[in-house]
């Protein structure tokens, strides 16, 4: 049998350093190349228009059923917005949380259930609070901070915090920082779900703002909670479908393969978390403020 040389501490440190640098570069590049016009208005608007059968921007949200349907459709249409691209980072940790389960269906449902619990808890609470506070919410305000809308200032703060949290989790997975979830993959997945639920707290997406105003106008906190939950569920449908295809299409073999090698699963999860955490930080806290004269950021010809 061939002798396998163990990986030394120096090699492990060097590999982690390269992974971190590469992930940071990927996150910065994504923030530079990202076209919000294409993603929000071309993809998002067209998907919503096709699903609703009318112009989403002018569609009436009259009644509970119409509001719930609009919530889910607008959430699905917003899957590719700058805030939701971070959803890709959840696949690795979810694989770790469900990889030891027996049976493909259990390997799928267990981590998805924990992820959804974290996401729903945050989005439901924010929906109810948003209705109770009403038009005083910064997200619904037309006020300005200098030349920057206050709703975008809220976005920068919220997504900056989410980006920092994701970056920290990625670095912690590599052992660079203390890992509060070491040996607790389920807790990690619940927290990632909560972070995705928190996207609604900062989202400036026009269709979401329209939904938010409709919920406030209803005066019903339960309606606000329900529509915000459906908005979040719509956001994760695509990633859920990818995860389901990987789990069920391979009869659970992919999840067992992914979680079977600790170094492999750690590297993939950490790279995604760091890259997408950096993307959120740079995009929302550097690029977006630069549009309003706060600092400078490179622009692409199509932006």
């Amino acid at each position: 049998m061939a002798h396998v040389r163990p990986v030394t501490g120096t090699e492990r440190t060097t590999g982690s350093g390269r992974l971190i640098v590469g992930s940071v570069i990927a996150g910065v590049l994504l923030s530079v190349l990202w076209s919000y016009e294409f993603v929000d208005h071309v993809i998002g608007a067209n998907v919503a228009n096709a699903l609703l059968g009318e112009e989403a921007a002018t569609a009436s949200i009259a009644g509970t059923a119409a509001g719930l349907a609009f919530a889910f459709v607008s959430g699905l249409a917003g899957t590719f917005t700058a805030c939701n691209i971070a959803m890709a980072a959840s696949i690795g940790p979810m694989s770790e949380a469900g990889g030891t389960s027996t049976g493909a269906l259990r390997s799928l449902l267990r981590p998805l259930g924990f992820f959804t619990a974290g996401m729903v808890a945050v989005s439901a609470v924010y929906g109810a609070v948003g209705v109770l506070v009403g038009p005083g919410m910064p997200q619904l305000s037309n006020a300005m901070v200098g030349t920057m809308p206050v709703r975008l200032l809220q976005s920068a703060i919220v997504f900056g915090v989410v980006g920092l949290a994701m970056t920290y989790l990625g670095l912690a997975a590599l052992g660079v920082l203390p890992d509060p979830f070491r040996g607790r993959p389920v807790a990690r997945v619940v927290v990632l779900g909560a972070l995705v639920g928190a996207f609604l707290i900062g989202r400036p997406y026009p269709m979401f703002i329209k939904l938010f105003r409709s919920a406030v106008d209803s005066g019903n906190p339960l309606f606000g909670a329900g529509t915000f939950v459906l908005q979040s569920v719509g956001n994760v449908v695509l990633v859920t479908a990818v995860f389901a295809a990987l789990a069920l299409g391979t009869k659970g073999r992919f999840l067992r393969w992914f979680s079977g090698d600790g170094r492999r699963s750690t590297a993939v999860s950490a790279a995604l978390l760091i890259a997408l955490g950096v993307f959120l930080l740079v995009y929302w806290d550097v690029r977006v403020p630069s549009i309003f004269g706060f600092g400078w950021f490179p622009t692409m010809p199509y932006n």
Side-chain angles (χ1 to χ4, degrees), residues 169-268:
L169 290 176
L171 293 173
L174 293 174
V176 176
L177 296 174
D179 187 358
F181 305 113
R182 185 175 300 281
R184 298 190 294 163
V186 169
R188 190 188 308 274
V189 169
V190 172
V191 169
L192 279 171
L195 289 174
V196 170
F199 289 160
L200 297 188
I201 302 175
R203 171 163 297 155
Y205 192 45
M207 279 186 281
F208 173 66
I209 299 302
K210 179 176 181 176
L211 176 69
F212 201 157
R213 294 187 187 280
S214 173
V216 169
D217 290 342
S218 75
N220 186 341
L222 290 178
F223 179 71
T227 54
F228 277 39
V229 166
L230 282 176
Q231 170 85 190
S232 289
V233 170
N235 288 161
V236 302
V237 163
L238 183 60
V239 171
T240 300
V242 171
F243 191 66
L246 291 173
L248 301 179
T250 63
K251 298 182 179 179
R253 287 191 295 272
F254 172 81
L255 299 182
R256 290 191 292 273
W257 168 83
F258 188 87
S259 59
D261 186 326
R263 285 182 296 176
R264 178 197 302 125
S265 60
T266 296
V268 173

Side-chain angles (χ1 to χ4, degrees), residues 21-296:
V21 171
S23 301
V24 170
I25 292 174
V28 173
L29 284 176
L30 183 58
S31 68
V32 173
L33 298 173
W34 190 261
S35 172
Y36 64 88
E37 288 286 346
F38 178 75
V39 172
D40 290 1
H41 302 297
V42 177
I43 297 180
N46 286 334
V47 169
N49 294 345
L51 292 175
L52 291 172
E54 59 180 317
E55 289 289 329
T58 57
S60 173
I61 311 178
T64 301
L68 295 176
F70 188 89
F72 179 78
V73 168
S74 59
L76 181 59
T79 297
F80 297 101
T81 56
C83 39
N84 283 311
I85 194 66
M87 266 300 299
S90 65
I91 293 180
M94 283 198 292
S95 298
E96 295 174 5
T100 58
S101 301
T102 57
L105 187 59
R106 181 176 174 78
S107 295
L108 169 66
L109 294 179
R110 185 172 183 269
L112 280 178
F114 290 125
F115 180 89
T116 303
M119 179 185 70
V120 165
V122 174
S123 57
V125 169
Y126 186 59
V129 171
V131 170
L132 291 174
V133 175
M137 297 294 290
Q139 251 175 321
L140 302 179
S141 174
N142 292 320
M144 305 289 287
V145 178
T147 59
M148 187 174 181
V150 70
R151 64 179 182 276
L152 290 184
L153 179 61
Q154 178 177 331
S155 298
I157 294 171
V158 171
F159 291 127
V161 171
V162 172
L164 280 174
M166 296 185 73
T167 303
Y168 184 96
L169 290 176
L171 293 173
L174 293 174
V176 176
L177 296 174
D179 187 358
F181 305 113
R182 185 175 300 281
R184 298 190 294 163
V186 169
R188 190 188 308 274
V189 169
V190 172
V191 169
L192 279 171
L195 289 174
V196 170
F199 289 160
L200 297 188
I201 302 175
R203 171 163 297 155
Y205 192 45
M207 279 186 281
F208 173 66
I209 299 302
K210 179 176 181 176
L211 176 69
F212 201 157
R213 294 187 187 280
S214 173
V216 169
D217 290 342
S218 75
N220 186 341
L222 290 178
F223 179 71
T227 54
F228 277 39
V229 166
L230 282 176
Q231 170 85 190
S232 289
V233 170
N235 288 161
V236 302
V237 163
L238 183 60
V239 171
T240 300
V242 171
F243 191 66
L246 291 173
L248 301 179
T250 63
K251 298 182 179 179
R253 287 191 295 272
F254 172 81
L255 299 182
R256 290 191 292 273
W257 168 83
F258 188 87
S259 59
D261 186 326
R263 285 182 296 176
R264 178 197 302 125
S265 60
T266 296
V268 173
S269 299
L272 285 172
L273 285 167
I274 294 170
L276 296 174
V278 169
F279 164 68
L280 287 174
L281 276 168
V282 175
Y283 183 88
W284 287 103
D285 292 332
V286 182
R287 178 175 169 178
V288 170
S290 73
I291 297 174
F292 300 94
F294 296 95
W296 175 88

